[in-house]
Amino acid sequence: MKSPTADGYDDLLGHLKFLASHLDPVPARVKEAARACVIWQTIDDELAELVYDSVVDDQLVGIRGSGGSRQLTFRAPECTVEVEVAPLGGRMQGQIVPPRQLDIEVRHPGGTTTVHTDAHGHFSTPDVPAGPVSLRWGGAGLMGEGPIVTDWVVI
Amino acid sequence: MATSREAGDDVGMLVSNAVARLPGAWDALVDRFAELIWAVARGQGLSPADSADVSQTTWLRLAEHLDRIREPERLGGWLAVTARNESLRTLKRAQRQVPTPWDTTTVRAAGSDEPELDQSILADERNAALWRAFDTLSGPCKLLLRCLIAEPSPSYAEVSEVLDIPVGTIGPRRNRCLENLRRDPGVCGHREVVTS
């Protein structure tokens, strides 16, 4: 039996490339969605990063399969947002800390919904379509605070 | 190494064009990296519907981070690692969810991709055997090969970031994974395909 040559491996890789291009190409709608993301390009919004996700972080201590709600924490230098996502996705409720009354834009690729926080910083959203979601608040009208956006997270 | 450095400079230029919002600059990034991101998600075993979510989330994250990217020439690695982490998050989310009507929707969405696929090449037994063997490769091998066959080809630096392995080990690992594939009983039977 011939020992395999580097060329043999290259041919095999080329064959796989050919098959993948026919059998599992990037769907056209996935590329279109990627192109459409340009409209969400932000300039100087401050970022509230996802620092805790119960889906990922709780599993480190063996909590799983509970089917309970999912907890997310986003942190910006001046504030934190805690969000709870209902077990089946869709509805979210949360709190902004330190508490304040303001409008929060709930953004998803299909559009934006605005919700208001109460005096304790609590808010809840109507159903949001399954897929990526991000929150944005602040900006014009708020003293000394530019707009803040959270990381996008799939719910 | 000269080649990958050129590729890096090129990506740096694409990034600065996109930061400056030049027409077509974002689309150029999508053309460059859409397939690598898809490869990362599919290579970790995600369904087409979940891979679509991972892809979209990765690009949305870039839209927010673009102005903050510290090493523009390494954008490919940043995107690939973001896609890898989002894929893992998706897998963990799926593990703890019981099937729901929402999942049914996901399955339907995945099915809608099928008309785009050209399944006719699977009528060739050699193609079918190789594709089946590829599908059953171990996780790391599948992810590595899946990334390497993305078009345009990623740099080894990008592949190294996705798999979190040193650049120098990619070649030997690639050959070992291809050797496993070549020895698959289904593929052995059609050896002329893989050695011709």
Side-chain angles (χ1 to χ4, degrees):
Chain A
M1 181 178 152
K2 280 190 300 183
S3 68
T5 62
D7 283 345
Y9 289 135
D10 286 347
D11 288 345
L12 183 53
L13 203 61
H15 193 175
L16 279 177
K17 189 169 188 163
F18 165 79
L19 292 178
S21 70
H22 283 77
L23 297 169
D24 194 17
V26 185
R29 66 181 175 81
V30 170
K31 273 201 169 183
E32 282 159 25
R35 293 186 211 287
C37 290
V38 70
I39 64 165
W40 300 100
Q41 194 174 343
T42 53
I43 304 175
D44 49 10
D45 290 2
E46 198 169 337
L47 191 65
E49 290 186 68
L50 178 63
V51 294
Y52 172 78
D53 178 352
S54 58
V55 162
V56 175
D57 301 307
D58 279 359
Q59 293 195 347
L60 296 177
V61 290
I63 302 167
R64 56 159 295 184
S66 65
S69 58
R70 177 181 179 194
Q71 315 288 329
L72 303 167
T73 304
F74 300 95
R75 187 169 299 147
E78 305 296 328
C79 64
T80 299
V81 178
E82 309 274 353
V83 177
E84 183 178 325
V85 186
L88 300 184
R91 303 173 80 83
M92 298 188 289
Q93 52 184 355
Q95 184 182 19
I96 186 162
V97 181
R100 73 196 86 172
Q101 283 184 283
L102 43 69
D103 290 343
I104 295 184
E105 295 170 31
V106 183
R107 313 182 303 160
H108 53 88
T112 297
T113 309
T114 302
V115 298
H116 313 283
T117 60
D118 65 18
H120 304 288
H122 289 288
F123 63 92
S124 61
T125 75
D127 276 355
V128 177
V133 172
S134 154
L135 305 178
R136 183 175 189 269
W137 66 92
L142 283 175
M143 291 171 298
E145 190 174 278
I148 298 177
V149 293
T150 69
D151 271 329
W152 288 86
V153 178
V154 177
I155 65 162
Chain B
M1 288 316 282
T3 320
S4 65
R5 194 157 58 241
E6 280 168 27
D9 291 346
D10 181 25
V11 172
M13 172 90 75
L14 291 181
V15 172
S16 49
N17 289 348
V19 170
R21 290 173 165 69
L22 296 188
W26 180 271
D27 289 356
L29 287 176
V30 172
D31 289 341
R32 176 71 175 247
F33 294 116
E35 205 168 298
L36 176 59
I37 291 171
W38 186 251
V40 168
R42 296 288 284 143
Q44 288 177 104
L46 265 61
S47 70
D50 284 340
S51 301
D53 273 348
V54 164
S55 164
Q56 191 172 33
T57 305
T58 302
W59 288 106
L60 287 167
R61 288 203 171 201
L62 178 64
E64 281 181 351
H65 280 83
L66 194 57
D67 292 352
R68 297 170 239 263
I69 296 279
R70 278 192 282 270
E71 297 177 275
E73 68 287 354
R74 292 180 60 187
L75 180 71
W78 187 91
L79 287 168
V81 167
T82 301
R84 183 196 65 197
N85 292 343
E86 282 309 302
S87 300
L88 291 175
R89 190 186 304 278
T90 303
L91 290 170
K92 287 184 172 172
R93 202 157 51 93
Q95 272 173 16
R96 63 176 234 158
Q97 270 180 343
V98 288
T100 65
W102 181 82
D103 290 327
T104 315
T105 315
T106 308
V107 171
R108 266 205 305 279
S112 68
D113 286 342
E114 282 170 18
E116 291 177 28
L117 298 184
D118 177 7
Q119 300 271 0
S120 63
I121 61 168
L122 287 180
D124 181 324
E125 280 179 31
R126 296 167 302 179
N127 288 338
L130 180 56
W131 192 245
R132 220 169 21 241
F134 180 55
D135 203 42
T136 54
L137 274 181
S138 74
C141 269
K142 193 167 167 182
L143 180 58
L144 173 62
L145 295 182
R146 195 63 221 228
C147 288
L148 288 174
I149 60 178
E151 182 63 42
S153 295
S155 67
Y156 269 24
E158 287 160 356
V159 175
S160 130
E161 293 208 46
V162 179
L163 283 121
D164 203 16
I165 55 175
V167 168
T169 68
I170 294 175
R173 281 171 196 255
R174 173 196 106 127
N175 291 352
R176 209 157 45 235
C177 292
L178 288 169
E179 188 57 36
N180 290 344
L181 200 53
R182 195 204 291 271
R183 286 168 191 244
D184 180 278
V187 176
C188 282
H190 302 288
R191 196 146 42 109
E192 70 278 16
V193 169
V194 297
T195 55
S196 64

